[in-house]
Amino acid sequence: MDSQTSQASQPSPSPQAPHTFQVDLRGLVDLLSHHLYSSPKVYLRELLQNAVDAVTARRADEPGAPARVRLHAEGGALRVEDTGVGLTEADVHSLLATIGRSSKRAEGLEEARSDFLGQFGIGLLACFVVAERIRVVSRSARTPGAPPVEWTASDDGSYTVRTLPDAERPEPGTTVHLVARAGAAEWLAPERVAALARDFGSLLPYDVRVGDEAVTDLPAPWDRPYPGPSARRVALARHCHDLFGFTPLDTIDLSVPLAGIRGVAYVLPSSVSPAQRAGHRVHLKGMLLTERAEQLLPDWAFFVRCVLDTDSLRPTASREALYEDETLAGVREALGERIRAWLTGLAAGDPERLAAFLAVHHLGVKSLAWHDREMLRTMLPWLPFETTDGRLSLEEFAQRHPVVHFTRTVEEYRQVAPIASAQGIGVVNGGYTYDSELVQALPSVRPGTEVAELDAETVTAHLDAVDPAEELALSGFLAAARARLDPLGCDVVLRAFHPLSVPALHLDDRDARHEQARADAEAQADDLWAGILGSLRGSAPRARLVLNHLNPLVRRISALPDPELIGTAAESLYGQALLMAQRPLRPADSALLNRAFIGLLEWATHSEDGRA
């Protein structure tokens, strides 16, 4: 018998019966409470969600049906009643006892899902976070002849279902009963239930009450009629203070009708770091979804806090964040446009309010201007910069100076600002985030403006040269000073400049600093690395100590006969120039300052006969 015959004679494997996943409900509840939900308080949101969705479903069939939700908390127990669509016994077995199945996915409701809040079928399980047992009594509005049904579930995964006499529930709707589990009584306390209901449900479209106290507060503050713009501004400022704890600089309306979004953005009254993630308050069809929506606005809009209601954005399974999809990306862009339009409006018609805003949030607007060419044209002339003329807008600065000089680093600005100002050179500090890039973009916004980078060579060129005969007479002094500072990678030059009070100016550029850093690393490296770093030696000009020939102290030092004392004085001037420029000191610089200080003390206390 060949192999083919042998294989054909073997019986085919019998099909295996499929197995069903077994769910440990206690483990699932632990997963929900510790990983899916951020806090036990979400149990009340899920109860409100189910009640509101049930009312919505009934009103789809009966537009005139009552729309009430009532919460009663007392003695560690909570009862939530609604006048919604209700359930039959078959619905209970199909929906309440099957994890992951939502009534909003049931046949006949698929087209209406956008009207519902819950879509994941796990909301009722959140109640197990605070209760060991859930009891639901419901009567269907769609099947009037069906009797009331009671569903009782425990967190061990078991449940019972029984029908009740008509008198137990004469009207359609559902009542959920909870009794607090050990250690969770605070979550069912009347005050806590009322506070949570107001927080989650203030914008719900139906009559929701805790006892006799109304929960809903409609219309939303941004949709209410007011006597005038000032009254509206005051009311929204009060709303912001109650909600976020601050009084806003201004209020921006956020209306995107195509995305079903209405709300406001409140401008922060104090500056915040651009890296700080802003938390926004988002309601989904009136129900509070999250207070920490971080991806709602573009990153550059970190200077506002938003509160809005939407019916188009998708929640995550926990319903505590927004699902990142194309819709959210489109909404984020649209809301960014609203904030841009507000800024443009201020620039066009309210410069005082714009100035007050920029005084606090100029960094955020600079970020926006750098990434958005339209906002660059609108806002750049208004943005404040640090300059040698004080804090000015580029428009004001360009009107004063035919050439707008700028430095790329704060260190460079500190080196040259006092001297450049005395020479009549206007300089903008471009060392802060976006500043140098924005200054260079000024000609595109203000045609005809000349912008130039200011470096050490430019500053030196603007300083007056000393008469050649005088400089020749001081050659011995300059040689002694250069010899002392040469190991530090610094040359010494003599110039005459204002202000007279500045004895010396330390100038270098980025190439010189890079070369100095390379030389320092080479001096500390082993033979292998020293050889590698030595091969990278550049030809960049070295740093310069520019001595002011007009300064009386420099004149007295230049007249000293002792080369050693001249060297010590040169080291002192070098250290003082570094400190005036607020430059970080290298170990060699710190050692020089200590050595020069001690040397000057020894010279000052040394008597003519050699005795101290």
Side-chain angles (χ1 to χ4, degrees):
M1 184 184 298
D2 57 25
S3 60
Q4 291 182 350
T5 306
S6 175
Q7 291 176 2
S9 64
Q10 294 180 1
S12 59
S14 59
Q16 296 291 320
H19 298 279
T20 301
F21 283 105
Q22 301 298 311
V23 178
D24 179 355
L25 191 57
R26 290 185 187 272
L28 184 58
V29 170
D30 181 72
L31 177 67
L32 294 176
S33 60
H34 292 96
H35 300 283
L36 184 64
Y37 296 129
S38 63
S39 166
K41 70 180 182 181
V42 298
Y43 88 92
L44 192 67
R45 184 194 62 200
E46 301 301 333
L47 288 174
L48 282 175
Q49 166 201 301
N50 288 341
V52 169
D53 284 345
V55 172
T56 300
R58 184 177 180 186
R59 283 211 154 183
D61 298 332
E62 305 175 51
R68 297 190 303 271
V69 179
R70 297 291 184 264
L71 295 87
H72 305 275
E74 186 177 2
L78 175 64
R79 184 174 81 256
V80 181
E81 302 175 349
D82 67 66
T83 58
V85 70
L87 301 170
T88 63
E89 182 176 358
D91 293 335
V92 166
H93 285 289
S94 174
L95 301 175
L96 297 187
T98 305
I99 296 171
R101 177 176 296 175
S102 170
S103 62
K104 274 67 75 177
R105 293 192 179 93
E107 184 179 357
L109 292 180
E110 190 65 30
E111 293 83 1
R113 270 184 67 190
S114 63
D115 293 332
F116 296 99
L117 299 171
Q119 299 176 359
F120 298 98
I122 58 176
L124 199 58
L125 291 180
C127 295
F128 282 126
V129 175
V130 297
E132 294 181 347
R133 195 166 63 101
I134 303 173
R135 178 172 171 256
V136 177
V137 177
S138 186
R139 183 164 192 159
S140 175
R142 288 180 175 157
T143 311
V149 61
E150 177 191 69
W151 178 81
T152 304
S154 300
D155 64 358
D156 61 2
S158 64
Y159 72 92
T160 62
V161 178
R162 68 188 181 104
T163 58
L164 301 175
D166 288 347
E168 292 286 334
R169 179 86 199 191
E171 299 295 331
T174 301
T175 303
V176 179
H177 300 264
L178 302 180
V179 177
R181 66 166 62 244
E186 61 172 305
W187 294 106
L188 273 67
E191 299 80 6
R192 177 63 67 88
V193 169
L196 292 178
R198 284 193 300 270
D199 198 35
F200 285 123
S202 62
L203 300 184
L204 288 174
Y206 303 132
D207 180 14
V208 182
R209 296 176 181 269
V210 178
D212 296 327
E213 180 184 351
V215 167
T216 53
D217 185 19
L218 295 176
W222 50 86
D223 285 332
R224 295 173 189 169
Y226 295 98
S230 297
R232 185 176 191 271
R233 188 177 298 114
V234 170
L236 290 178
R238 187 182 307 113
H239 175 251
C240 175
H241 190 274
D242 294 342
L243 208 59
F244 295 116
F246 65 85
T247 300
L249 278 178
D250 207 347
T251 301
I252 308 170
D253 282 306
L254 300 178
S255 176
V256 186
L258 291 178
I261 286 178
R262 287 284 299 161
V264 290
Y266 294 117
V267 181
L268 293 168
S270 57
S271 60
V272 294
S273 167
Q276 180 177 327
R277 303 296 295 178
H280 307 292
R281 189 177 175 94
V282 178
H283 295 256
L284 179 62
K285 304 179 185 72
M287 181 75 76
L288 177 65
L289 178 70
T290 179
E291 298 175 283
R292 300 185 300 276
E294 296 181 348
Q295 68 273 49
L296 186 65
L297 294 181
D299 290 341
W300 54 260
F302 59 83
F303 49 82
V304 298
R305 294 292 181 271
C306 293
V307 54
L308 55 83
D309 188 26
T310 175
D311 59 15
S312 64
L313 299 179
R314 292 175 56 195
T316 58
S318 67
R319 290 179 36 78
E320 294 186 285
L322 296 172
Y323 187 81
E324 185 68 53
D325 57 10
E326 292 182 359
T327 302
L328 179 57
V331 166
R332 184 163 48 235
E333 182 177 351
L335 295 180
E337 286 297 330
R338 299 299 183 274
I339 298 175
R340 285 188 182 94
W342 170 77
L343 286 170
T344 304
L346 289 187
D350 200 339
E352 291 185 2
R353 286 172 65 197
L354 177 63
F357 167 74
L358 291 178
V360 178
H361 296 297
H362 57 274
L363 184 56
V365 180
K366 286 179 179 179
S367 170
L368 172 58
W370 176 239
H371 292 97
D372 187 302
R373 306 309 293 181
E374 183 63 32
M375 286 306 300
L376 178 68
R377 287 190 292 272
T378 302
M379 300 304 301
L380 185 55
W382 300 92
L383 290 171
F385 289 79
E386 182 181 356
T387 77
T388 49
D389 292 353
R391 195 162 188 82
L392 297 175
S393 69
L394 289 183
E395 177 67 28
E396 293 177 280
F397 190 79
Q399 290 175 359
R400 300 183 183 186
H401 299 279
V403 179
V404 178
H405 289 94
F406 72 96
T407 63
R408 292 187 181 272
T409 68
V410 175
E411 290 179 354
E412 291 173 351
Y413 178 79
R414 288 170 177 167
Q415 287 181 57
V416 303
I419 308 305
S421 180
Q423 308 304 312
I425 305 173
V427 185
V428 178
N429 184 356
Y432 299 112
T433 306
Y434 303 115
D435 281 13
S436 63
E437 295 87 350
L438 291 174
V439 173
Q440 292 177 86
L442 183 59
S444 67
V445 176
R446 195 177 190 272
T449 303
E450 184 179 351
V451 174
E453 182 176 356
L454 186 69
D455 54 18
E457 291 288 345
T458 304
V459 175
T460 305
H462 278 80
L463 304 181
D464 294 334
V466 178
D467 181 83
E470 290 189 48
E471 188 168 3
L472 181 62
L474 297 175
S475 58
F477 158 70
L478 293 174
R482 287 167 180 156
R484 184 61 65 91
L485 297 183
D486 183 70
L488 297 172
C490 183
D491 291 331
V492 177
V493 296
L494 190 65
R495 292 289 187 273
F497 56 87
H498 293 274
L500 302 180
S501 58
V502 177
L505 177 66
H506 182 272
L507 293 176
D508 62 2
D509 54 27
R510 277 160 293 163
D511 291 337
R513 288 195 291 275
H514 292 162
E515 174 61 19
Q516 185 60 55
R518 186 209 58 77
D520 292 343
E522 179 182 356
Q524 299 174 12
D526 55 29
D527 293 340
L528 173 61
W529 282 108
I532 295 174
L533 292 170
S535 67
L536 300 176
R537 182 179 295 112
S539 57
R542 303 203 305 171
R544 276 156 289 176
L545 181 68
V546 184
L547 300 178
N548 188 359
H549 187 54
L550 301 180
N551 180 266
L553 177 61
V554 172
R555 285 181 173 274
R556 288 195 295 270
I557 293 174
S558 65
L560 292 173
D562 184 356
E564 184 66 25
L565 184 56
I566 290 175
T568 299
E571 288 180 336
S572 300
L573 291 173
Y574 172 83
Q576 188 264 352
L578 287 180
L579 295 175
M580 289 297 293
Q582 301 182 45
R583 292 286 305 276
L585 299 180
R586 299 171 296 163
D589 297 330
S590 298
L592 173 144
L593 282 172
N594 290 331
R595 182 172 64 249
F597 179 69
I598 297 300
L600 290 176
L601 285 179
E602 290 179 348
W603 176 79
T605 57
H606 187 73
S607 63
E608 292 184 1
D609 60 2
R611 293 174 297 178

